[in-house]
Amino acid sequence: MLTNLNRLASAFWEICLLRRGPQDLPDSVFLFNFVVTSYCLLGIGINLVGFKFEEACVLSVAMTTLLLLSLKTLLLIRGYGHRMRQTVTALMGASIILFIPALALRIWFHIIERSDAQSSL
């Protein structure tokens, strides 16, 4: 199981580096659901820095829904509606990888904002 997660994280990292594309991922309903759920839960975690739990949930669900609707619309316009699961899995999986530094930045900016200080960076 851990080996599979490592391979999956490695595939998403390679997508971030533009070495792989969505077509390299399997068209799996389970993987799609797992990545969308993880994306939404991590969005809640990031939004908890600075927002109440209820607001963080609403923001994360809204963000996930808007991303899904936008991707579906764009893929249908381009004639790639059949690649929805792979594209969403790739985009949200790569975003999950990028959530780690995003959380650190979010915490840092929240601390600066609350202290009314200026950051030299």
Side-chain angles (χ1 to χ4, degrees), residues 43-74:
I44 292 171
I46 284 180
N47 288 323
L48 281 174
V49 179
F51 293 101
K52 296 177 188 167
F53 179 74
E54 296 82 15
E55 294 170 337
C57 290
V58 170
L59 283 170
S60 183
V61 169
M63 177 176 66
T64 304
T65 304
L66 285 173
L67 184 57
L68 288 170
L69 288 174
S70 299
L71 281 173
K72 183 68 171 179
T73 302
L74 292 172

Side-chain angles (χ1 to χ4, degrees), residues 6 8 14 21-22 24 27 33 45-46 48 52 55 66 69 71 80 84 90 92 96 105-106 108 112 115 119-120:
N6 285 338
L8 186 60
E14 288 183 10
D24 296 328
D27 187 14
N33 290 333
I46 284 180
L48 281 174
K52 296 177 188 167
E55 294 170 337
L66 285 173
L69 288 174
L71 281 173
Y80 292 109
M84 176 69 178
M92 289 188 175
I96 288 169
L105 285 173
R106 178 75 180 227
W108 182 33
I112 291 170
S115 68
S119 173
S120 61

Side-chain angles (χ1 to χ4, degrees), residues 10-11 17 22 41 45-46 49 54 63 83 90 93 101 113 121:
S10 175
L17 297 174
L41 291 174
I46 284 180
V49 179
E54 296 82 15
M63 177 176 66
R83 298 245 324 252
E113 180 183 300
L121 190 58

